[in-house]
């Protein structure tokens, strides 16, 4: 089973960015924890981070022709306004799980809406790095349920 983990705009600066909301783990630390969990779960993962919305959408399009079973995405601020990203995710016929480090519902009103939620199976937020770990577990479970039984 192969899970694509997407990290959006500004997330390359985790660890150096507003620790009150995002803690002190860097993106490399998050990737290391998810790699460890992937080994435990017996799945393979690929991480992709970009600050370019166009690059992110192109990466999602590529997944159409790849053996990807599910997607975990933290889209950063794109979450709240990118209909283009929502449309790209909607093209995929595999489960998509939305994750956020911070509790977006306890923050500024513009963060309360996710325009991606419509195309995601569910959303996990507010648990720091654990949000990603729970998201990866959910993605694996959903992908396993989608697999044909024969
Ligand atoms: C975030 C929450 C977003 O509102 C914000 O724009 C981010 C990070 C999170 O992980 O908590 O960049 O996605």
């Amino acid at each position: 089973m192969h899970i694509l983990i997407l990290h959006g705009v500004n997330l390359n600066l985790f660890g150096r960015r507003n620790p009150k909301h995002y803690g002190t783990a860097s993106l490399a630390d998050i990737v290391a924890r998810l790699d460890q969990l992937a080994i435990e779960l017996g799945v393979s993962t690929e991480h992709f981070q970009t600050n370019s919305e166009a690059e992110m959408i192109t990466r999602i399009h590529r997944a159409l022709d790849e053996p990807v079973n599910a997607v975990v995405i933290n889209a950063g601020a794109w979450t709240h306004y990118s209909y283009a990203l929502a449309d790209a995710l909607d093209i995929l016929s595999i489960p998509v799980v939305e994750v956020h480090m911070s509790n977006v519902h306890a923050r500024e009103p513009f963060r309360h809406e996710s325009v991606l939620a419509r195309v995601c199976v569910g959303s996990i937020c507010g648990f720091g790095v654990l949000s990603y770990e729970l998201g990866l577990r959910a993605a694996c479970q959903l992908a396993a349920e989608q697999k044909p039984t024969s």
Side-chain angles (χ1 to χ4, degrees), residues 1-3 42-45 67 69-70 139-145 147:
M1 186 166 312
H2 188 64
I3 313 293
V43 301
S44 60
T45 55
N69 300 101
C140 291
Q141 180 72 36
L142 291 164
E145 286 166 9
K147 279 200 156 179

Side-chain angles (χ1 to χ4, degrees), residues 82-99:
S82 178
Y83 299 112
L85 189 52
D87 280 352
L89 292 169
D90 198 25
I91 294 166
L92 302 179
S93 55
I94 52 176
V96 179
V97 177
E98 176 184 355
V99 300

Side-chain angles (χ1 to χ4, degrees), residues 31-45 136 140:
V31 169
R33 280 193 39 186
L34 292 177
D35 283 350
Q36 183 56 45
L37 179 60
I39 291 168
E40 288 167 28
L41 296 174
V43 301
S44 60
T45 55
L136 179 56
C140 291

